[in-house]
Amino acid sequence: MTQKTAKLHAARRAAEVGEPLPRHGWRRAVAVYPSPYEVAMSNLGYQWLFHALASAGLGVARAVWPDAALLAEVERDTLRAIDDDRAAADADVWFVSLSFENDLVRFAELLRLAGLAPRAAARDDAAPLIVAGGVVPMLNPEPTAALADVCLLGEGEAVLRPFLDYLRDHDPARREDFLAGLRDLPGAYVGRYYQSRYAADGRLLAVEARGGFPARVAVPKEARFDPLLTRLHLRAPSAAFGDTLLIETARGCVNRCRFCAAGHLFLPFRPASPPASLPRLGEDALGLVGSNVSGHPELERWIAAADGRRVTLSSIRRGALSDAQWARLTAAALAAAALAPEAGTARLRAVVNKPATDKEILAEVARAAAASIRNIKLYYLIGLPTETAEDRVAIVELTQRCRDAAMVGWKAKGRAGKIIASVNPFIPKPQTPFQWHPYGDPAERQKQLADLRNKLRPLPNVEMQSESPREAVLQALLSLGDRRTADLALRVAEAGNIQRGLKAWRPDYLALLTAQREFGDCLPWDHLDIGVRRDYLEKEYENALAGKTSPPCNLGHRCRLCGAC
Ligand code: SF4
């Protein structure tokens, strides 16, 4: 164990606010998040996970992606847990939280840094049992299933408790028996019991269950959830939202935007009421998290629950906030607001099922600026189905007009602000109506982003942000890939570079990105049942291509449209 790592871990523990995790319990679990500490400690899924493990009586320690400055040291020594400095491999079970597809690369790397084989098939019974959960395997478990022994598919509250009951009664070191016995457990997906069949040309024909595991895997969800559990439990001041008590306010979304994976995966919409009182961990702000926080039926009560803290909203939908609510948010010191027009034209916004006229968007921006909000972020996607060059030109025009609309409010307050255009490549996601759509040619996407940057950069009070196009390509392949795509994560991890990893994996990867999937094709996640019917998704894709919108959920009216209620 090296001095530097021990010092950093001690400093982190000393700075954290909240209950320290229990070191001893009926088994030793390591809660793993394959991103840096600052990102991990701002993730509600990860916070829920280590708190739930501790509440169940396990000894719990956390392991995250090491700091860049310490990576060489970890290579020489081993991956160690933050909470007790013990080797992460010295555990009965790892629980790995996967929120983003590209985390699969770091997941593979963390296994290697811990001295464990990244592939499940190459580990023996002496290795900890590796359990993975989170949005990534819930959408498409196949790439993850090559690395983890077990994927837990479902909302944490619904799948973790039965799994822990099973773990208490069965020895994970007797791996073969342990895994075989999971066949009846809700949401337990054991990769070795699901085998893919391919055609001679490499197309996926089927994913077939063996060993008594269900052919169709139900992904359990809870009818309601307790926001006091899905909140920040341990506040790390150096984290991305280090001064904010993040809390989940709703799951699912009534609007069913066709590109949105979380909005579909967590259907039906389930808003939570604010608790009678919220704990305090010495934070300045309350961060309300959900797919459409501004549309929450009890938003006013959530804002009131801030009780003197600043309020931040993870998303604001056009038209969802009244003037009075904007004023309440300003009174609660909302400093920045994010709106997501998604596309530059009303036509393309109808395609993605987020209908709005330019006038409505401009009015919302004007209201935000008049409410003293100085940083207004506008989210756009490029590469959407049916998109044309005119749609991209319209992104520049709309941003410029938003800036002009905001300037009126800013001038009245005597202080100019900034419009931040966040433009990113659209990535088709499993379990959404766009799951059949191709990502497209990465070179074209890169050119389109550069063109937008050139046009937006000269505009005063406007800034453009975008993610790396290479990361987007990796995400597109890992999102939609079958079991063989785990090799891509391993190759990128080995190469330490996306481009080299892609070439080493499959020089013809471009064909995968540009291929249009047909309704008759077998998709790697077709055997999962998240509650939303496939024929509904097909119809929605057809509606999108025809430019037709679908109405929001009609809650409380015995709707059967998508199958989730
Ligand atoms: S069944 Fe109807 S109300 Fe329920 S989630 Fe689907 S569209 Fe919405």
Side-chain angles (χ1 to χ4, degrees):
M1 165 91 191
T2 59
Q3 288 279 327
K4 275 193 200 159
T5 303
K7 224 169 133 188
L8 179 70
H9 286 175
R12 282 180 171 164
R13 291 195 301 265
E16 287 174 346
V17 186
E19 277 285 299
L21 294 171
R23 295 193 178 191
H24 305 287
W26 51 271
R27 286 203 202 284
R28 173 173 161 79
V30 174
V32 177
Y33 197 86
S35 273
Y37 174 80
E38 290 71 20
V39 179
M41 292 303 287
S42 290
N43 184 279
L44 277 190
Y46 187 54
Q47 290 267 347
W48 175 86
L49 174 66
F50 60 68
H51 179 261
L53 295 173
S55 304
L58 286 111
V60 187
R62 292 163 292 161
V64 298
W65 182 252
D67 279 25
L70 296 182
L71 205 49
E73 215 175 88
V74 176
E75 288 272 6
R76 283 195 300 274
D77 177 35
T78 187
L79 180 71
R80 291 186 180 275
I82 297 167
D83 300 272
D84 55 10
D85 295 321
R86 274 171 67 183
D90 184 12
D92 298 302
V93 195
W94 277 25
F95 288 92
V96 186
S97 177
L98 294 168
S99 306
F100 307 100
E101 288 81 1
N102 293 9
D103 288 351
L104 287 170
V105 175
R106 282 181 168 162
F107 173 24
E109 269 297 85
L110 284 179
L111 286 163
R112 189 187 62 76
L113 287 170
L116 303 168
R119 284 189 171 283
R123 289 190 296 269
D124 61 22
D125 292 5
L129 178 80
I130 308 294
V131 180
V135 169
V136 172
M138 273 172 87
L139 287 170
N140 171 15
E142 277 297 296
T144 309
L147 309 180
D149 299 303
V150 187
C151 296
L152 286 183
L153 310 181
E155 292 183 359
E157 299 91 334
V159 293
L160 189 66
R161 171 55 64 187
F163 181 80
L164 292 181
D165 289 345
Y166 180 86
L167 179 66
R168 197 187 267 275
D169 297 339
H170 298 80
D171 182 3
R174 297 182 57 203
R175 196 61 44 91
E176 183 102 36
D177 293 345
F178 185 93
L179 294 176
L182 290 170
R183 65 174 73 84
D184 299 321
L185 218 71
Y189 189 87
V190 180
R192 67 167 76 172
Y193 291 109
Y194 288 89
Q195 284 179 8
S196 302
R197 200 154 46 77
Y198 303 102
D201 63 2
R203 267 177 315 115
L204 180 69
L205 293 177
V207 179
E208 292 166 340
R210 305 253 194 278
F213 276 76
R216 189 142 179 82
V217 184
V219 176
K221 299 178 197 174
E222 291 286 87
R224 53 186 67 82
F225 66 94
D226 180 357
L228 279 177
L229 297 178
T230 47
R231 65 164 172 96
L232 207 79
H233 293 278
L234 206 46
R235 186 171 72 80
S238 64
F241 294 93
D243 65 345
T244 305
L245 184 88
L246 296 168
I247 187 160
E248 190 180 25
T249 61
R251 286 189 192 160
C253 178
V254 294
N255 298 303
R256 306 190 319 283
C257 300
R258 291 175 177 135
F259 56 84
C260 182
H264 284 84
L265 186 60
F266 294 107
L267 281 174
F269 177 60
R270 287 156 293 159
S273 297
S277 77
L278 284 172
R280 286 194 179 260
L281 299 173
E283 69 282 349
D284 300 325
L286 180 70
L288 306 181
V289 177
S291 292
N292 175 21
V293 182
S294 60
H296 196 292
E298 294 184 79
L299 180 63
E300 297 270 0
R301 289 191 58 217
W302 274 105
I303 295 172
D307 192 21
R309 287 168 279 206
R310 275 188 297 115
V311 178
T312 64
L313 268 55
S314 65
S315 57
I316 297 177
R317 193 178 167 95
R318 175 203 52 77
L321 295 178
S322 64
D323 284 342
Q325 282 173 327
W326 272 117
R328 289 275 297 117
L329 282 171
T330 315
L334 183 77
L339 297 165
E342 313 296 356
T345 59
R347 182 199 70 79
L348 197 51
R349 291 192 284 271
V351 168
V352 301
N353 205 34
K354 204 164 180 184
T357 62
D358 286 2
K359 207 172 148 194
E360 288 166 328
I361 293 167
L362 293 170
E364 200 72 19
V365 168
R367 289 206 296 177
S372 300
I373 292 173
R374 290 196 297 122
N375 288 328
I376 301 173
K377 200 166 192 174
L378 302 175
Y379 285 104
Y380 298 106
L381 293 169
I382 58 164
L384 287 163
T386 78
E387 182 183 289
T388 64
E390 286 75 47
D391 292 306
R392 288 187 294 279
V393 170
I395 288 178
V396 180
E397 290 165 359
L398 182 61
T399 304
Q400 198 164 2
R401 290 167 68 203
C402 283
R403 191 270 323 267
D404 294 344
M407 203 54 97
V408 177
W410 289 335
K411 272 193 180 149
K413 301 281 174 187
R415 220 166 150 198
K418 200 165 41 175
I419 297 283
I420 303 157
S422 172
V423 189
N424 290 299
F426 157 66
I427 296 168
K429 287 291 170 101
Q431 317 283 5
T432 70
F434 290 157
Q435 62 183 3
W436 292 279
H437 202 78
Y439 172 83
D441 183 345
E444 229 173 74
R445 205 66 75 245
Q446 201 148 356
K447 211 166 139 268
Q448 291 160 352
L449 276 174
D451 188 44
L452 282 169
R453 189 167 289 112
N454 287 339
K455 288 182 172 134
L456 287 166
R457 194 185 288 143
L459 302 179
N461 302 87
V462 171
E463 184 185 310
M464 176 175 151
Q465 294 176 350
S466 65
E467 285 165 20
S468 139
R470 284 202 178 136
E471 293 271 348
V473 166
L474 180 64
Q475 195 189 135
L477 290 165
L478 290 173
S479 295
L480 301 165
D482 56 37
R483 187 76 62 97
R484 296 169 293 188
T485 319
D487 284 344
L488 170 60
L490 295 171
R491 295 292 183 145
V492 174
E494 278 160 24
N497 171 295
I498 294 175
Q499 203 56 28
R500 281 204 301 271
L502 278 167
K503 285 194 179 139
W505 176 56
R506 276 183 69 157
D508 65 339
Y509 69 88
L510 195 62
L512 295 174
L513 292 167
T514 52
Q516 170 76 49
R517 291 166 198 81
E518 305 299 332
F519 289 157
D521 288 347
C522 173
L523 305 176
W525 52 91
D526 267 347
H527 55 303
L528 259 53
D529 180 5
I530 66 157
V532 176
R533 290 192 321 272
R534 197 185 204 265
D535 65 314
Y536 163 80
L537 297 178
E538 289 176 4
K539 183 75 196 144
E540 277 294 279
Y541 188 36
E542 286 170 347
N543 284 342
L545 298 181
K548 286 191 207 158
T549 57
S550 295
C553 293
N554 198 353
L555 298 172
H557 285 76
R558 293 177 173 275
C559 174
R560 295 284 178 267
L561 183 63
C562 79
C565 285

